[in-house]
């Protein structure tokens, strides 16, 4: 049974809004480069807006479009960024919830018996569902919580 965990319910909307923000950022940057406005305040505002749109859309889109596929029949966990190197569920040794100093959840870190690992940036609810599904297949998985800065 394959289960797909995503950071968003509407990946198409996130994809197209990220593309629109990147295109808008490029347009602002081109206006800045072509010096359509001679006012330095306007030029600086265009430069800052283009920078924020380009980088903001890039990082937001990357986070929201991460998907994780847990295939119990094939005994694998696959991240959409690393499809070539799936992690075997039967070989997972630890599942670590990474939290910051204030106790806020950051990511789920899976490590197998060898050198394989998977760092999953997702919500706490998704992380708990993933760990529950992994422990259903491999009850020997040790679950830990560690503080990371």
């Amino acid at each position: 049974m394959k289960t797909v965990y995503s950071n968003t319910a509407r990946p198409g909307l996130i994809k197209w809004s990220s593309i629109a923000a990147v295109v808008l950022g490029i347009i602002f940057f081109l206006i800045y480069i072509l010096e359509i406005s001679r006012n330095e305040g306007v030029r600086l505002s265009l430069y800052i807006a283009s920078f924020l749109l380009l980088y903001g859309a890039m990082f937001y889109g990357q986070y929201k479009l991460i998907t994780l596929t847990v295939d119990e029949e094939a005994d694998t966990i696959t991240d959409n960024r690393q499809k070539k190197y799936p992690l075997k569920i039967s070989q997972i040794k630890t599942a670590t919830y990474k939290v910051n100093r204030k106790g806020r959840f950051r990511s789920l870190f899976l490590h197998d018996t060898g050198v394989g690992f998977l760092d999953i940036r997702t919500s706490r609810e998704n992380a708990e569902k993933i760990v529950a599904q992994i422990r259903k297949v491999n009850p020997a998985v040790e679950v830990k919580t560690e503080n990371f800065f």
Side-chain angles (χ1 to χ4, degrees), residues 36-123:
I36 292 175
S37 175
R38 300 285 182 210
N39 186 348
E40 281 300 314
V42 172
R43 291 188 74 227
L44 182 62
S45 298
L46 285 171
Y47 180 73
I48 291 171
S50 66
F51 179 78
L52 290 175
L53 282 170
L54 289 171
Y55 284 101
M58 182 176 64
F59 289 120
Y60 183 74
Q62 279 181 347
Y63 170 73
K64 284 296 191 179
L65 293 176
I66 292 173
T67 58
L68 184 82
T69 305
V70 178
D71 190 354
E72 293 177 7
E73 294 167 359
D75 191 37
T76 60
I77 297 177
T78 308
D79 189 352
N80 67 336
R81 299 168 294 173
Q82 299 176 345
K83 289 182 181 178
K84 290 175 69 175
Y85 307 105
L87 196 63
K88 294 281 189 187
I89 297 174
S90 59
Q91 295 178 352
I92 294 176
K93 183 179 177 184
T94 60
T96 306
Y97 294 106
K98 290 185 181 180
V99 295
N100 64 5
R101 287 186 207 172
K102 296 178 183 177
R104 190 169 163 215
F105 179 77
R106 290 292 176 206
S107 65
L108 175 66
F109 187 80
L110 302 175
H111 192 273
D112 68 3
T113 54
V115 296
F117 66 92
L118 192 57
D119 191 20
I120 306 162
R121 303 260 179 205
T122 188
S123 66

